[in-house]
Amino acid sequence: MMTWRWAIRDLLRHPTRSALSLLGVAVAAALLLDMVMLSGGIERSFGELLRSRGYQLRISPLGTLPFDTEATLGDVTALTVALRRDPAVREVAPVLGSTMQGAHGAIAASLVTYGVTPTSQGIYTLESGRDLTATDTVGILLSVPAATRLGAAVGDTVSLRGRLDPQMANAGAERRVLVRGIVRFLYDAREQPSVAVALAAAQRLGGPDLTDRASVLMVRIDEASDLTAVTARLRAAHADVAVNSIDDLVAQFRLRLTYFRQLSLILGSISLVVTVLLVGTLLAITVNERSGEIATLRAIGVARMNIARQVLVQGLLLSVLGGAAGMVLGLGTARWLDAILTSFPGLPAAISFFVAEPAPLAIAAATLLLTGVLAGLPSAWRAASTPIAAALRSDAP
Amino acid sequence: MTIVLDARDLERRHALEGSEVTALRGVSLQVEEGEYVAIVGPSGSGKSTLLTLLGGLDLPSSGSVAILGASLSALPDRALTRLRLERIGFVFQRFHLLPVLTARENVELPMAEMGVAPDARRARAAELLAYVGLADRSGHRPTQLSGGEMQRVAIARALANRPAILLADEPTGELDAATGREILALFRRLHADGTTLVVVTHDERVTSEASRVVRMLDGRIVD
């Protein structure tokens, strides 16, 4: 039988009805696509972001995750030395995060300040100007939002005031620093004004409370080492701190995103139900309208199986065309929704909520097509069971 | 002569609004190869019901129908469907062409179901459309054809798989007199070419052309 050609022409027989049904399937497919991308996308994107600079482990105060609280690690110098004693550890990069006030001329702004070891850091990439050097204690690096807020550029001098007292609205230590470069902080939220200075400078500006302290230590280990074994070894050797691999952090993140996954599962399921209803309804109407044709086909010797296949192909065709349109629609809406969601405060701007990955998308597409076929089963069965003589008698084409 | 169709003691009862209606009462009919049989009778006499039983579109309440010795009642649905495809050609009063297919594709349909290769079925469809005088309308859809043209396409479709018998139910019923004459002329030609025909009709012109006339009344053959 000329099944596909026939199915296409049959859809074109009622163009408005078919177009509306296809639009409905496309919207449902777009929703399914977005939910599939959302369900695992942010988790994968977070993992990729953490891995982007090659530090496989994060060490933070016991019971916390990096930058999850204001708690800091003590005796960082000794801890760093101790960590480096492990034969698999190649690099240890301490980062101290705090809030300071920056001023440039008459402009002042609250800034997220990172104290880093410039030669081994994994939290920013240089955009313009130059990086800090190992001995540079008077240099500062600004993010674009920080530079914009302060109205500062490379070569300008700005004041940095630490030990902010929110109640007294005044600062403790103050230091004049020279803007060396503009950088992009990997974990910053969108429009977050951040700066980086040498760790020692940040500790001094923070006062005695931050002496020899850091928020997190980023640890790079030898690529050839067994990450699980190294993690276990470091945990055993440093039981007073939290040693987390990227997989551990992603797992924690996953726990916090349970809501997203549940939401995406529910909405994805709804989209499949909508597809079933749309395709099923259209095919039921079509089979009703075509009962005379179907009886004719049966009369001239077309097998029940081929009649059923004809109906199922039409359902499949609706799913394929609707799914293709839904793919375009879904990618467009994902980009739009991503822009909204990543602008939420506190979330790294580099994270994507919607990540298109081949395997989940292929599964979603296959599920959609299968749904289209399954939606056609009742109508296919009814078409194949058409009573020939009665349908021919009652049909007036 | 070969008996193409052998119907014996056919009865067909329907349930209608709680009571039973008997449409056929003990009808027997044999049709030999090459015969042109006209079944006539008033409305409600059971002639269309008889045709549906002869063609295996419905099964009798009792009695039997055999096509070239194959008992239709004994066949499973798949085999009965195959027998209709291979042995029986149908022509309906309302043509029943598929509107989304062209004339050629409608004629090709039974051959496609038989598994005939595309080239061969295209050639056979062209031959049949030429036979019924529609060689130049093969690319037209049913909505672009007149009633007479549609019926000729339906006849070409019925002949596609070279059936042993052609069953026609009021083939001129939807046509004007002139067009009806064209269709009857085509049947005459088919009969002359050796096709076995059973035609159910109100049209008295058919009775003058058929080799045998079977008259029905109240579900029985009366003549």
Side-chain angles (χ1 to χ4, degrees):
Chain A
M1 290 223 294
M2 304 151 273
T3 311
W4 281 98
R5 204 184 330 163
W6 191 347
I8 290 168
R9 287 187 200 168
D10 211 53
L11 282 182
L12 293 175
R13 211 195 299 195
H14 303 285
T16 307
R17 188 170 76 191
S18 299
L20 287 172
S21 299
L22 279 175
L23 186 62
V25 174
V27 169
L31 181 62
L32 177 67
L33 177 75
D34 285 351
M35 290 309 108
V36 167
M37 288 166 72
L38 179 64
S39 65
I42 188 170
E43 189 181 308
R44 276 186 285 278
S45 174
F46 182 63
E48 282 165 15
L49 181 62
L50 291 177
R51 286 184 188 93
S52 63
R53 295 301 299 270
Y55 290 85
Q56 302 96 325
L57 296 174
R58 303 288 190 279
I59 293 176
S60 54
L62 197 61
T64 71
L65 294 173
F67 292 109
D68 212 26
T69 67
E70 290 185 359
T72 51
L73 296 159
D75 297 325
V76 167
T77 308
L79 181 58
T80 303
V81 170
L83 287 167
R84 282 185 177 140
R85 274 197 213 108
D86 189 288
V89 172
R90 290 282 165 270
E91 209 169 318
V92 180
V95 181
L96 172 64
S98 60
T99 305
M100 297 189 187
Q101 190 185 53
H104 178 232
I107 306 168
S110 178
L111 304 169
V112 174
T113 305
Y114 299 109
V116 297
T117 309
T119 50
S120 57
Q121 60 76 27
I123 63 164
Y124 64 76
T125 55
L126 189 68
E127 302 261 281
S128 63
R130 66 175 178 80
D131 203 348
L132 301 175
T133 61
T135 55
D136 190 351
T137 56
V138 293
I140 188 169
L141 301 169
L142 307 182
S143 68
V144 171
T148 306
R149 266 189 220 186
L150 292 172
V154 174
D156 288 351
T157 300
V158 299
S159 294
L160 200 57
R161 297 166 191 152
R163 267 186 293 165
L164 292 180
D165 182 342
Q167 290 184 330
M168 302 300 290
N170 62 8
E174 179 171 347
R175 191 182 189 89
R176 289 178 67 74
V177 285
L178 192 63
V179 179
R180 304 285 190 204
I182 304 297
V183 296
R184 184 171 65 85
F185 291 97
L186 302 179
Y187 305 108
D188 271 12
R190 188 168 294 172
E191 300 304 317
Q192 180 179 315
S194 300
V195 299
V197 293
L199 178 65
Q203 288 170 338
R204 271 198 298 278
L205 282 165
D209 290 350
L210 292 182
T211 301
D212 202 23
R213 300 191 83 85
S215 306
V216 65
L217 299 182
M218 297 168 72
V219 179
R220 191 198 305 272
I221 68 160
D222 190 348
E223 292 287 343
S225 302
D226 179 353
L227 179 62
T228 311
V230 175
T231 307
R233 201 161 63 226
L234 293 181
R235 275 186 188 141
H238 306 280
D240 55 340
V241 295
V243 180
N244 284 304
S245 67
I246 289 172
D247 285 346
D248 296 329
L249 295 174
V250 170
Q252 291 289 331
F253 195 60
R254 188 183 301 135
L255 274 179
R256 295 181 184 191
L257 292 172
T258 304
Y259 166 75
F260 268 105
R261 279 204 310 282
Q262 285 174 342
L263 183 74
S264 59
L265 181 68
I266 291 167
L267 292 179
S269 304
I270 288 172
S271 74
L272 289 176
V273 171
V274 169
T275 304
V276 167
L277 292 176
L278 278 170
V279 174
T281 304
L282 185 72
L283 292 182
I285 292 170
T286 303
V287 166
N288 269 347
E289 286 176 347
R290 290 182 53 199
S291 65
E293 285 175 35
I294 291 164
T296 305
L297 290 169
R298 293 282 295 128
I300 66 173
V302 175
R304 283 181 199 272
M305 186 68 83
N306 287 335
I307 298 285
R309 186 189 303 155
Q310 172 71 28
V311 176
L312 293 177
V313 161
Q314 207 164 345
L316 188 63
L317 186 65
L318 276 171
S319 300
V320 168
L321 295 177
M327 191 75 80
V328 176
L329 188 63
L331 290 174
T333 50
R335 185 172 291 188
W336 175 59
L337 289 170
D338 208 44
I340 293 172
L341 291 171
T342 52
S343 64
F344 280 12
L347 279 173
I351 277 185
S352 290
F353 279 75
F354 298 86
V355 177
E357 287 202 308
L361 290 185
I363 291 169
T367 307
L368 186 74
L369 297 187
L370 186 65
T371 302
V373 173
L374 291 177
L377 278 178
S379 296
W381 183 82
R382 206 156 55 82
S385 311
T386 299
I388 304 172
L392 284 174
R393 265 199 305 275
S394 62
D395 186 60
Chain B
M1 264 303 201
T2 308
I3 301 288
V4 176
L5 187 153
D6 187 3
R8 290 177 189 273
D9 301 323
L10 291 179
E11 291 216 1
R12 186 66 177 101
R13 293 180 290 274
H14 303 283
L16 186 67
E17 294 174 0
S19 61
E20 194 173 74
V21 175
T22 303
L24 287 182
R25 304 161 192 268
V27 172
S28 294
L29 177 69
Q30 283 78 43
V31 178
E32 291 181 349
E33 187 177 9
E35 259 197 300
Y36 182 173
V37 178
I39 302 174
V40 296
S43 292
S45 60
K47 53 189 189 304
S48 288
T49 302
L50 174 61
L51 201 75
T52 61
L53 298 185
L54 298 181
L57 304 181
D58 195 7
L59 292 175
S61 305
S62 64
S64 66
V65 178
I67 300 282
L68 291 172
S71 171
L72 305 191
S73 304
L75 294 175
D77 181 77
R78 187 178 292 189
L80 180 58
T81 303
R82 194 72 187 176
L83 184 136
R84 284 200 300 268
L85 181 68
E86 293 175 353
R87 302 287 188 193
I88 304 172
F90 285 99
V91 175
F92 304 101
Q93 180 177 357
R94 291 167 181 166
F95 327 127
H96 287 301
L97 297 177
L98 300 188
V100 295
L101 302 184
T102 63
R104 179 177 60 76
E105 289 166 340
N106 267 287
V107 177
E108 277 187 53
L109 198 57
M111 293 183 275
E113 183 69 11
M114 277 274 276
V116 176
D119 284 349
R121 67 184 191 229
R122 263 194 289 277
R124 170 82 175 144
E127 178 193 321
L128 287 168
L129 285 171
Y131 182 83
V132 299
L134 291 175
D136 57 337
R137 311 300 300 270
S138 66
H140 289 69
R141 293 204 184 169
T143 49
Q144 298 167 308
L145 300 174
S146 68
E149 287 171 330
M150 280 195 274
Q151 195 59 296
R152 282 191 274 163
V153 173
I155 292 168
R157 180 180 68 185
L159 296 170
N161 286 334
R162 298 180 173 85
I165 188 165
L166 193 148
L167 304 178
D169 187 6
E170 301 280 9
T172 58
E174 297 272 315
L175 305 174
D176 61 49
T179 313
R181 274 196 297 276
E182 287 173 19
I183 296 301
L184 292 180
L186 187 52
F187 278 174
R188 195 161 54 239
R189 198 167 137 214
L190 284 170
H191 178 228
D193 290 344
T195 305
T196 307
L197 289 162
V198 176
V199 180
V200 161
T201 186
H202 276 105
D203 195 334
E204 283 300 323
R205 290 171 299 183
V206 177
T207 59
S208 62
E209 297 196 359
S211 52
R212 179 152 59 108
V213 177
V214 173
R215 294 188 187 280
M216 292 190 68
L217 186 67
D218 293 336
R220 291 189 176 88
I221 291 178
V222 292
D223 185 15

